[in-house]
Amino acid sequence: MELTRGLKHANRYRKIAATLARHGFGYILQEVGLFHILSLPKRLASDPNEFNMHSIGERIRLVLEELGPTFIKLGQLISTRKDIFPPSVIEELEKLQDEVPPFAFEDAKQIIENDLGHPLTEIYDSFDETPIAAASIGQVHKAVLYDGEEVAVKVSRPHIKEVIEKDIDILRDLAKLFTQRFQWARYYRLQDIAEEYIDAIRDEVDYYVEARNTEKMRANMADFPHLEIPAVFEDFSSRRVLTMTFLEGIKLSELTYSNKKFNKKALARSLTDAFLHQILIDGFFHSDPHPGNIIFTDYEKASFIDFGQIGRLNKEMRKHFINYVIAMTRKKPDQVAAAIYEMADIPDTIDHDQFAEDVHYLLSKYYDRPFHEIRFGEAINDIFATSHRYEIQIYKEYTMLAKAFITFEGIVERLDPDISIVEIAEPYGKKLAKEQFNPKNNVKDWIKEGQRQKEYFFDIPREVRDALAKLNNSHIGIEMKVPKINIFLNKLDRISNRLSFSIILLAFSIIMVGMIIGSTFGDSSSPLVTLPVIEISSIVSFLMFLWLLYAIFKSGRF
């Protein structure tokens, strides 16, 4: 953990640690060393058995609710990951509500005036001080522009960005720390989930992002007359203020009690068509279609609202997902497994045959069931959960899609219990499969690939010229990796050291022989005899011999 940042947010760390300890998770903090770092009293490291009256899922939910907006949003994200977390935890986290008391109108007014640069009365003809909805990130007021247009004005909570950034720092640290210390954190890929959440909440707190998403979705859904998307008024919007068309409607929970008549079957069908079009055609879909983000405005009209969370699939991803859908509808386990391999990072140790067999087992429970009885989101989630057990890491775009499917399927089934997303999706899959094999589309792909290769081809002379220039200037380093090269070099060292030892030993022997011959047959008047040259040479040679012998033995390569 980064202590400089930890010390910077010490008070928030203590608040989080105390809350976790109060709900029976103090032993985890003690094990990772946070008690020592934060100087917390050891009495907080309670025995988890003291809290057996509440389930782990319930205690996690209570912790997140107490810690506020950032952690409530995190819990809501975790509640959608049915492919990873156990049902007992998911059920509790699904109870998390993002409804909090509204903040003061004066704060909202100050934010609007600061961001838009004019007094509130000059921007809006009328502005309701009481918000019509409030959540952890912001709240919504109803207003009227000077041209008579009724609008919904979304205002960010004061200082919410600073609060969230501080909590993001802490979440990153905790995710890293837990991943280093606990096998369960590595198994659940805690750091990946934290990064996925960070991206999502940063987008959600920036209303410029939501404005762009809303406008793009409005353009994409222009051909769906039964689906309304609010328009954004850019002149009256900023990073903390978002002004949109006000849509009068009711939520799913209010349909049964409404005096207004609604064609529920038609609504279910039009919503499903639009949602599948977003995924399979546009690759730009509402990734959080919970009941609060869909309202019903007329007999056969509905509206998606709140585009803070958007999923994206590029062309290649859509192709892989379509292959996955086709394989599932045809109930081909080998093809489903092959499609999964295109949608994930696959570990080298995976048992492909066993994985295909498990996929076959999962699909078998759908073999004899008619399409209208198959829950598509549940089927996707079953396969993804099995993949997780094999440590297959499904790309986050697909897990986001699976979550959206499960949530959306629950809504349309409440409107029409007999609807089958699989049946509605099948024509899309067939149409897109035909397009994949359409020669015109293949030719277009070949042309695009040819253009890319042409660019590479024309880049080759320049790259070669640059490489030769660097080589001429001696700026190129060459790195070679030869298997077991170290073993070879060690043996070479031993051979050279032995040769050196032998040569020195031979030289020393020759000197000794020379000394003996000189002393026996030498002339007493000879300078060689009168001067102690031989003695000096022998001493020097002997010392060199000892030094070299010591160096060779010290190296361990003799």
Side-chain angles (χ1 to χ4, degrees):
M1 189 172 77
E2 296 181 23
L3 290 178
T4 53
R5 198 159 59 200
L7 293 173
K8 179 182 174 184
H9 304 317
N11 290 335
R12 183 60 173 164
Y13 267 108
R14 289 192 183 95
K15 165 73 173 174
I16 293 170
T19 304
L20 285 167
R22 192 161 52 252
H23 291 282
F25 299 107
Y27 67 98
I28 297 177
L29 301 176
Q30 187 177 39
E31 191 165 339
V32 298
L34 278 177
F35 269 73
H36 172 69
I37 293 171
L38 299 174
S39 303
L40 296 172
K42 289 187 177 180
R43 60 181 172 78
L44 289 178
S46 307
D47 185 345
N49 294 324
E50 296 179 13
F51 297 85
N52 282 341
M53 65 184 71
H54 299 296
S55 68
I56 289 180
E58 185 178 359
R59 286 188 278 134
I60 292 173
R61 174 176 60 81
L62 293 172
V63 166
L64 298 177
E65 285 177 340
E66 191 171 332
L67 290 177
T70 312
F71 291 86
I72 289 173
K73 289 286 183 185
L74 175 62
Q76 290 173 341
L77 171 68
I78 293 173
S79 73
T80 67
R81 297 304 303 269
K82 296 182 181 181
D83 60 315
I84 296 180
F85 295 98
S88 58
V89 173
I90 297 295
E91 288 172 9
E92 282 296 328
L93 296 185
E94 283 176 339
K95 299 175 184 177
L96 283 169
Q97 298 297 316
D98 195 20
E99 296 179 1
V100 296
F103 57 91
F105 165 71
E106 287 302 320
D107 290 334
K109 179 184 176 189
Q110 184 177 3
I111 289 171
I112 294 171
E113 291 181 342
N114 287 345
D115 280 26
L116 302 186
H118 297 282
L120 191 69
T121 53
E122 292 182 10
I123 303 169
Y124 305 102
D125 187 31
S126 66
F127 192 97
D128 288 353
E129 295 187 9
T130 304
I132 57 177
S136 56
I137 301 296
Q139 62 190 34
V140 182
H141 294 261
K142 186 177 180 181
V144 179
L145 298 176
Y146 276 99
D147 62 2
E149 180 83 33
E150 287 190 332
V151 293
V153 183
K154 201 170 181 179
V155 188
S156 172
R157 283 187 176 272
H159 311 298
I160 188 65
K161 184 173 177 60
E162 291 82 357
V163 171
I164 286 175
E165 287 298 327
K166 181 190 297 184
D167 284 347
I168 282 173
D169 283 348
I170 294 172
L171 277 172
R172 272 206 175 107
D173 286 345
L174 293 178
K176 182 179 179 181
L177 193 60
F178 286 2
T179 300
Q180 290 171 345
R181 299 293 181 89
F182 300 116
Q183 175 59 35
W184 59 264
R186 292 190 290 275
Y187 178 78
Y188 289 126
R189 301 200 299 271
L190 205 61
Q191 280 186 281
D192 292 341
I193 291 172
E195 290 304 320
E196 180 183 337
Y197 163 73
I198 288 166
D199 290 342
I201 197 167
R202 277 181 171 159
D203 282 350
E204 200 166 346
V205 81
D206 185 347
Y207 289 161
Y208 271 148
V209 173
E210 184 174 345
R212 289 194 300 271
N213 292 342
T214 306
E215 285 296 279
K216 184 170 182 177
M217 186 65 73
R218 180 177 167 84
N220 289 349
M221 295 290 99
D223 293 332
F224 289 82
H226 297 295
L227 187 70
E228 293 184 274
I229 306 294
V232 173
F233 295 87
E234 293 185 5
D235 292 341
F236 307 101
S237 300
S238 69
R239 291 197 184 280
R240 298 189 296 171
V241 181
L242 181 59
T243 302
M244 303 171 290
T245 306
F246 179 80
L247 297 176
E248 189 78 52
I250 63 174
K251 294 182 179 179
L252 181 64
S253 59
E254 301 168 328
L255 280 179
T256 306
Y257 310 103
S258 174
N259 295 325
K260 200 172 182 180
K261 297 294 182 182
F262 291 91
N263 186 342
K264 292 183 180 180
K265 286 185 176 292
L267 287 168
R269 178 64 194 232
S270 60
L271 280 171
T272 302
D273 275 328
F275 190 60
L276 289 172
H277 189 279
Q278 291 173 20
I279 293 167
L280 300 176
I281 307 300
D282 298 328
F284 185 86
F285 62 94
H286 198 309
S287 64
D288 190 26
H290 65 74
N293 284 340
I294 298 176
I295 61 174
F296 302 93
T297 58
D298 208 341
Y299 180 65
E300 291 185 358
K301 280 191 173 183
S303 172
F304 282 113
I305 58 174
D306 194 346
F307 295 93
Q309 294 185 35
I310 285 291
R312 292 174 174 82
L313 298 175
N314 61 34
K315 185 179 178 181
E316 197 70 17
M317 287 180 168
R318 294 200 299 276
K319 175 184 172 183
H320 295 322
F321 182 70
I322 290 159
N323 291 339
Y324 175 69
V325 172
I326 292 170
M328 285 188 64
T329 55
R330 290 177 178 172
K331 295 163 185 170
K332 301 285 187 182
D334 291 338
Q335 292 179 17
V336 171
I340 287 289
Y341 295 156
E342 297 292 338
M343 299 162 60
D345 285 328
I346 312 299
D348 296 333
T349 56
I350 187 172
D351 185 336
H352 296 280
D353 293 335
Q354 186 60 49
F355 178 63
E357 189 175 325
D358 282 359
V359 171
H360 181 274
Y361 171 76
L362 285 173
L363 292 179
S364 64
K365 67 181 181 179
Y366 303 113
Y367 283 169
D368 299 325
R369 290 167 62 180
F371 271 156
H372 71 272
E373 292 183 7
I374 297 176
R375 297 197 67 188
F376 195 41
E378 179 186 334
I380 294 174
N381 189 69
D382 282 347
I383 303 294
F384 281 10
T386 300
S387 301
H388 178 71
R389 290 199 297 274
Y390 282 84
E391 297 185 357
I392 295 173
Q393 296 188 22
I394 305 291
Y395 299 139
K396 68 177 183 179
E397 290 84 358
Y398 296 115
T399 57
M400 186 181 291
L401 175 58
K403 177 262 288 188
F405 249 118
I406 292 168
T407 307
F408 181 79
E409 197 168 41
I411 291 173
V412 294
E413 282 184 353
R414 287 172 66 179
L415 291 170
D416 180 8
D418 297 324
I419 197 169
S420 170
I421 292 182
V422 177
E423 280 186 315
I424 298 172
E426 192 180 23
Y428 281 93
K430 288 180 177 178
K431 177 184 175 184
L432 292 167
K434 288 179 182 178
E435 288 182 1
Q436 285 182 18
F437 297 102
N438 188 325
K440 290 183 179 179
N441 293 331
N442 288 332
V443 169
K444 288 179 182 178
D445 291 339
W446 294 337
I447 291 173
K448 288 180 180 177
E449 184 62 27
Q451 289 174 340
R452 282 198 295 267
Q453 296 301 328
K454 182 183 72 174
E455 292 174 4
Y456 296 148
F457 179 77
F458 284 117
D459 281 344
I460 288 173
R462 179 176 57 81
E463 297 289 346
V464 171
R465 185 181 67 249
D466 291 346
L468 290 173
K470 289 180 180 178
L471 183 61
N472 187 52
N473 294 326
S474 301
H475 289 163
I476 289 183
I478 298 175
E479 180 179 352
M480 295 179 64
K481 291 185 179 180
V482 181
K484 299 184 179 179
I485 187 67
N486 287 334
I487 296 174
F488 171 74
L489 293 175
N490 285 339
K491 288 184 177 179
L492 192 62
D493 275 348
R494 287 188 176 96
I495 292 169
S496 62
N497 284 338
R498 286 173 182 174
L499 285 173
S500 299
F501 177 73
S502 301
I503 291 169
I504 295 297
L505 187 61
L506 178 62
F508 184 72
S509 300
I510 292 171
I511 291 172
M512 293 300 295
V513 170
M515 288 177 62
I516 294 169
I517 293 172
S519 62
T520 305
F521 301 104
D523 184 0
S524 59
S525 63
S526 172
L528 186 64
V529 174
T530 56
L531 293 175
V533 174
I534 294 176
E535 288 83 351
I536 294 171
S537 299
S538 63
I539 292 170
V540 171
S541 299
F542 183 68
L543 291 175
M544 288 177 63
F545 166 72
L546 290 178
W547 174 81
L548 185 59
L549 194 64
Y550 169 75
I552 290 171
F553 279 104
K554 185 179 180 183
S555 71
R557 294 175 179 175
F558 182 73

